Amino acid sequence: MRSISAPSDPMRDPLLIEASWYDGRSAVRHEGEAVWEGGPALVLRNGDDRFDIPFSDLAYGERRGQTDVYRLASNPGFRLSLPHVLPPDLAARMPARSDYGAWVDKLGFGKAALIFAVVSASLAALFLTAPTWLGPRIPMSWERRIGDAMVGDLGGRLCHTPAGDAALAKLLGKVDPAGQAVRAGVFNADMVNAAALPGGQVLVFDGLIQQAESPEELAGVLGHEVGHVHERHVMTAMLRQFGLSILLSGANSGIGDTVFGLASMTYSRDAEREADEYARARMAQSDVSPIGAASFFERIGGRGGKEPEKPASDEGSMFDWVASHPAPGERARAYRAAVDADATYRPALTDREFAALKSMCADDPDVEEFDLF
């Protein structure tokens, strides 16, 4: 530690303050006093030892109980402990204390806390709304790569037979406008579900096909998923479900993660309604009756095949507010309301085609089973 000579004020009585310090060269704690005689330095005395500490070299460290700890810019290992309460003249010469950090102390804790709350709320709002505005802006080339990676994760679990593939292509043509590059496949899993993947791919789970009682039921489900593709809902849901990491990794780490991620992927209720509207419009263009889809939603809603009567608990219930999908009763009513009494509806598939679609996975000798465990 260097010693300096500083002019003192001969008219001023020295201030003596109890002090302790570490000199930065050893682990020995020194006890003594700090003396200020009015000059630009603080003098540390311990017996016959005397060290002059320039105020310009001091920096505030931290508060420990009733003492403040100071450091030296020129000696990082130096520590000086002084009482927290100092005489006003000396306190004015010491480095400014910091209780929360420089900018917090400058603004005050109240203002800093308010700024922090506003910034936190803004970041939270950005995070929650990012999928909505970012999803539709993802380039289609990225979407296709992600979708291909996810289908690749499913391995050989997609069912194929000549008759089944032809029936699925015919059904897809009923709910997808000509020239649109939407691909559909049947996944060999006993789960009642369907999913739209990025890049214009739709998967129908075999469990749902086995539960369907008519090809019109499948047309409603398939049209709904195609609607998600064309309305660009898919990447929005993917970003919300898996986070932005999906753009970097493309797919999950395991087949189980991929399958159940797809099965649990949720859209907003507005997006679900838009997809249903798309399906009904395409079915109307293709003369496919919406009664089948209505029956499907009545069945999964626990009302069998009866004409649904809207109970008081159906509208405005807590379920309607928290469910990602509109209530099955609401969806069934919308499909029944779409029935055109003057239309001539035609079967979406023949009985033979529907049977080929139902037996597709059972008849494929090469398809792999989906085993969770």
Side-chain angles (χ1 to χ4, degrees):
M1 187 176 302
R2 64 189 181 92
S3 176
I4 66 169
S5 298
S8 60
D9 183 354
M11 302 298 295
R12 183 188 190 96
D13 293 332
L15 291 175
L16 305 179
I17 309 292
E18 289 186 2
S20 63
W21 63 91
Y22 293 91
D23 59 18
R25 295 189 295 269
S26 70
V28 177
R29 184 171 185 265
H30 299 278
E31 300 278 354
E33 57 187 8
V35 182
W36 183 49
E37 299 174 335
L42 191 65
V43 179
L44 303 182
R45 293 196 308 210
N46 180 7
D48 294 332
D49 295 330
R50 170 190 170 106
F51 299 99
D52 291 1
I53 307 297
F55 289 114
S56 60
D57 201 17
L58 279 175
Y60 184 80
E62 59 184 324
R63 181 172 178 178
R64 294 181 181 175
Q66 298 302 312
T67 63
D68 287 323
V69 179
Y70 298 87
R71 303 176 181 182
L72 281 181
S74 61
N75 184 357
F78 177 85
R79 298 291 185 274
L80 169 63
S81 297
L82 296 175
H84 181 68
V85 178
L86 295 173
D89 289 348
L90 177 58
R93 300 297 300 269
M94 298 295 291
R97 295 174 176 135
S98 175
D99 293 323
Y100 306 104
W103 72 273
V104 178
D105 288 324
K106 183 177 180 180
L107 291 174
F109 180 79
K111 290 182 179 179
L114 179 60
I115 292 174
F116 178 79
V118 171
V119 171
S120 298
S122 301
L123 291 175
L126 177 63
F127 177 79
L128 292 174
T129 60
T132 301
W133 55 263
L134 180 60
R137 290 168 173 80
I138 298 297
M140 285 302 299
S141 59
W142 290 21
E143 273 205 46
R144 282 191 291 272
R145 285 196 294 270
I146 295 170
D148 290 344
M150 297 187 74
V151 171
D153 269 1
L154 300 179
R157 298 170 179 84
L158 297 182
C159 307
H160 292 285
T161 63
D165 288 340
L168 182 60
K170 180 179 178 180
L171 193 64
L172 179 62
K174 300 284 188 181
V175 296
D176 186 38
Q180 297 295 330
V182 175
R183 295 168 287 173
V186 176
F187 180 60
N188 189 26
D190 189 20
M191 300 171 64
V192 181
N193 216 311
L197 277 66
Q201 301 194 68
V202 173
L203 292 183
V204 182
F205 290 51
D206 186 54
L208 186 146
I209 293 176
Q210 300 310 315
Q211 291 294 319
E213 296 181 355
S214 71
E216 288 72 29
E217 291 189 10
L218 291 180
V221 173
L222 186 60
H224 177 89
E225 299 303 331
V226 171
H228 281 313
V229 171
H230 287 295
E231 298 295 339
R232 299 298 308 272
H233 297 155
V234 181
M235 282 308 302
T236 299
M238 292 287 288
L239 291 172
R240 184 181 297 112
Q241 184 80 9
F242 301 118
L244 289 173
S245 61
I246 191 69
L247 299 179
L248 303 177
S249 63
N252 291 313
S253 58
I255 178 67
D257 289 340
T258 300
V259 171
F260 285 101
L262 292 173
S264 62
M265 191 165 63
T266 59
Y267 301 88
S268 70
R269 288 190 293 276
D270 287 342
E272 295 291 356
R273 292 187 178 101
E274 286 180 4
D276 274 350
E277 290 172 1
Y278 179 94
R280 289 192 294 270
R282 300 290 82 76
M283 292 167 71
Q285 288 179 353
S286 300
D287 295 325
V288 175
S289 173
I291 290 295
S295 298
F296 175 77
F297 289 119
E298 289 165 6
R299 195 162 64 251
I300 67 174
R303 299 195 180 104
K306 299 179 181 180
E307 176 74 15
E309 295 182 3
K310 185 175 181 181
S313 61
D314 194 7
E315 183 173 11
S317 67
M318 183 59 70
F319 176 83
D320 285 342
W321 287 104
V322 301
S324 60
H325 287 66
E330 174 191 331
R331 303 178 79 178
R333 287 191 296 276
Y335 276 93
R336 284 196 177 274
V339 174
D340 185 351
D342 297 326
T344 302
Y345 294 118
R346 296 174 295 180
L349 297 175
T350 66
D351 291 343
R352 178 174 292 183
E353 290 168 335
F354 187 48
L357 194 56
K358 273 186 167 287
S359 64
M360 195 173 180
C361 290
D363 293 345
D364 184 352
D366 299 320
V367 70
E368 298 178 18
E369 295 284 342
F370 170 63
D371 295 320
L372 178 58
F373 301 106

